[in-house]
Amino acid sequence: YWNAMLRHQDEGAPPKNAFVETDLEANRNGTIFASLKKTPHILRNEIIKTCAEDESKCPYPTYDLVIDVTQVFCGAFFHWIIETWPRIGPFLDGLLAENMPKNFAIRVGCVLSLEEFHPQFFDLVGLENVTLISGEPPAFAKEVIVPTEGFSHSPLLNYWNLVVMRQKVIANLEPIEKSEYKTVLVIIRDASRRPDTFIFNNKFLKELSDGLPDIYKVVPFRSSDKEMMACMACQARAFTTADVIIGSHGAGLSHTLFAPRGAVVMERVAKGDSGIYSELAFMLGMKYFPMDIEERSSAIYIDLITFADGY
């Protein structure tokens, strides 16, 4: 089975005549088939036959297996971590098995905005140095698996895949060093197109620290922390040790996937914001509180954290 001719545009469907265009490109590039002077359909069959019989004569990269997780909304962080990346979940044990063929690849399809992070996400589940390919150039695969598409904007409908990925990530991060204090992780967008430092600022952090019992330790999780933002394992580890997570509605709360059961999640939401992060928190056994986007007092956060600690 060879699907490499379906060359997707960035975050979109294959263009019309994708097969024909690719066949003609192979012809123009002066491959061994250039002299055949055959129609694109017949030429394609010749390419497939040759690649299957003699990989050394195949004009494209060849693989024993390609898992294709391409889908339309896969460039943004939330869509990637909740919908796209977990699609390999049902196949993960097989991919990690010792007898797994080494010549396999995962076709991500969408690139650009998260390209530098894709390898780190697969490292998190034990697939170190896995080959990742996009829509360019075409590739030949003896077998292609296209997992069920991730459901858009619904952690619950992606539940089983997310559970598998969560378990693998946490197991690979062990041993996880737990602080003697209860950690209150405050997500601060201080290097973002949607900053929230007018609320989650040093004054808020100090009031939160002073107002909570001594057993709590307030830790900022800043988008301006370049070292942290460049390390997915570091980010995941920070959330595995969080007892309380505070943040504005946005992709940063996707890391709640790695937080422990029983954690408190406090999301600053505006009218019209989706319930994706409340859904994620509830399905993983966490205590969720929506916070009014206009609320600037640390007192309500302190009261709710103290209240939740009793349940």
Side-chain angles (χ1 to χ4, degrees):
Y1 181 84
W2 192 45
N3 79 327
M5 293 295 190
L6 292 175
R7 298 162 58 189
H8 291 239
Q9 300 294 324
D10 286 344
E11 299 195 359
K16 292 182 178 179
N17 302 320
F19 283 111
V20 175
E21 291 173 7
T22 305
D23 292 336
L24 292 176
E25 180 184 329
N27 210 342
R28 287 194 300 270
N29 288 344
T31 67
I32 59 172
F33 307 99
S35 61
L36 295 179
K37 306 298 182 183
K38 294 184 177 179
T39 64
H41 176 74
I42 297 175
L43 175 59
R44 179 166 63 253
N45 290 337
E46 292 286 347
I47 295 174
I48 294 173
K49 180 180 178 181
T50 299
C51 290
E53 295 177 351
D54 187 350
E55 293 182 5
S56 66
K57 295 181 180 179
C58 185
Y60 301 118
T62 61
Y63 301 96
D64 292 326
L65 170 68
V66 169
I67 299 181
D68 191 343
V69 296
T70 303
Q71 61 186 66
V72 174
F73 296 110
C74 57
F77 191 87
F78 171 83
H79 293 293
W80 169 257
I81 192 174
I82 301 298
E83 301 164 11
T84 307
W85 172 60
R87 290 174 65 190
I88 67 166
F91 311 96
L92 201 48
D93 286 338
L95 295 176
L96 293 169
E98 292 185 3
N99 62 348
M100 175 65 194
K102 301 302 180 185
N103 186 27
F104 81 92
I106 296 175
R107 183 174 184 269
V108 175
C110 61
V111 287
L112 302 179
S113 60
L114 291 177
E115 185 174 15
E116 63 185 288
F117 293 112
H118 289 154
Q120 293 190 50
F121 272 100
F122 291 107
D123 287 348
L124 283 174
V125 293
L127 290 173
E128 293 90 356
N129 303 315
V130 65
T131 299
L132 302 179
I133 58 177
S134 63
E136 302 288 348
F140 176 85
K142 295 177 180 177
E143 182 179 3
V144 175
I145 295 175
V146 183
T148 301
E149 186 172 1
F151 289 92
S152 180
H153 268 80
S154 178
L156 183 60
L157 293 179
N158 296 303
Y159 177 79
W160 291 110
N161 289 349
L162 288 172
V163 167
V164 170
M165 304 303 271
R166 168 185 164 87
Q167 290 178 343
K168 291 292 185 183
V169 170
I170 292 175
N172 285 334
L173 291 176
E174 291 180 343
I176 297 171
E177 297 181 5
K178 184 69 176 171
S179 170
E180 60 181 309
Y181 298 97
K182 290 188 175 183
T183 300
V184 180
L185 195 67
V186 183
I187 303 171
I188 303 175
R189 300 194 305 220
D190 54 356
S192 168
R193 60 184 176 86
R194 295 186 297 170
D196 55 15
T197 48
F198 59 93
I199 290 181
F200 299 143
N201 49 33
N202 290 336
K203 179 176 179 290
F204 177 89
L205 296 177
K206 186 177 186 308
E207 290 176 352
L208 199 62
S209 182
D210 292 344
L212 288 169
D214 292 340
I215 191 64
Y216 288 95
K217 181 180 180 181
V218 178
V219 177
F221 183 85
R222 300 182 183 275
S223 62
S224 62
D225 185 341
K226 293 182 179 180
E227 185 176 347
M228 174 68 79
M229 293 301 106
C231 174
M232 287 310 307
C234 303
Q235 295 177 41
R237 188 172 283 107
F239 278 76
T240 62
T241 60
D243 299 283
V244 180
I245 298 167
I246 298 174
S248 300
H249 179 86
L253 285 169
S254 302
H255 291 87
T256 301
L257 176 64
F258 309 120
R261 292 182 65 85
V264 177
V265 179
M266 310 178 80
E267 178 190 11
R268 181 172 160 267
V269 294
K271 183 178 180 180
D273 284 341
S274 65
I276 50 182
Y277 300 111
S278 60
E279 193 175 290
L280 182 62
F282 281 129
M283 79 179 203
L284 295 175
M286 301 172 192
K287 308 165 191 176
Y288 174 84
F289 295 93
M291 308 300 292
D292 192 301
I293 193 169
E294 300 299 332
E295 180 59 62
R296 302 195 180 198
S297 172
S298 61
I300 185 67
Y301 288 87
I302 294 169
D303 287 346
L304 287 175
I305 293 171
T306 306
F307 167 77
D309 195 34
Y311 295 89

